Amino acid sequence: MSFIGGKLKLKGSSDLPGVKKKKKSKANKANERALAAKEEDVKKEGGEKARDKDAELMRELHGYELEQRDEEHDRRTEAEKKKEARMAKLEEERLRRFAEKSHRERINEFNTHLSTLSEHHDIPKVGPG
């Protein structure tokens, strides 16, 4: 096994010559202020113009923009669309059923279910007592 001794060298430590932490430039701070001002303008305006400005701001800040999913650019197949619609409908139905009963009603229903089960499902006693 080859092992090179010595202590761990960290980038920000002061005992390393030539390695320094990067500092933010003043120009970068000015850009951030300008982008913050643009963000406020975007928040003040509404509608599609704001969405376009959001995309432009994202492009300026991070160098990319998120795709907006349109109906014409949807690449899902018909089966995928039907499945997603069916899953959304089932989820909505499940939530509706869940919201109909209170916690107390659900507990009472569960207790009646447990009382109808045979003794085979009971927890056995273990040990003396």
Side-chain angles (χ1 to χ4, degrees):
M1 179 186 283
S2 64
F3 174 74
I4 299 173
K7 67 180 188 176
L8 182 63
K9 297 178 182 177
L10 299 174
K11 194 174 197 177
S13 65
S14 61
D15 58 340
L16 290 177
V19 178
K20 296 180 183 177
K21 289 184 180 179
K22 291 184 179 180
K23 295 182 181 179
K24 286 189 176 181
S25 65
K26 291 181 182 179
N28 197 9
K29 289 181 183 178
N31 286 341
E32 288 179 5
R33 284 191 207 117
L35 291 175
K38 284 184 183 180
E39 271 186 337
E40 290 176 14
D41 292 342
V42 167
K43 288 179 183 177
K44 288 179 184 175
E45 294 182 11
E48 200 163 305
K49 288 182 181 180
R51 187 182 308 148
D52 291 341
K53 285 193 176 187
D54 281 339
E56 182 181 325
L57 182 67
M58 180 71 82
R59 199 176 319 113
E60 288 179 11
L61 276 175
H62 304 290
Y64 67 90
E65 77 180 83
L66 298 174
E67 280 188 37
Q68 299 295 326
R69 190 179 261 194
D70 294 330
E71 287 296 321
E72 59 193 46
H73 298 314
D74 195 10
R75 304 184 98 190
R76 297 177 296 167
T77 62
E78 289 298 317
E80 287 173 330
K81 291 176 186 176
K82 286 180 183 178
K83 179 184 177 189
E84 191 170 305
R86 188 174 62 243
M87 295 300 277
K89 185 178 177 182
L90 288 174
E91 178 75 13
E92 185 179 315
E93 180 63 31
R94 186 181 65 81
L95 289 174
R96 188 178 301 117
R97 273 189 278 123
F98 184 75
E100 284 177 355
K101 297 180 186 176
S102 68
H103 178 70
R104 178 172 286 165
E105 290 171 345
R106 271 191 241 98
I107 294 296
N108 288 337
E109 184 178 308
F110 182 64
N111 285 336
T112 56
H113 170 70
L114 289 179
S115 66
T116 60
L117 295 176
S118 66
E119 290 183 18
H120 173 73
H121 296 285
D122 286 350
I123 299 173
K125 286 188 176 180
V126 178

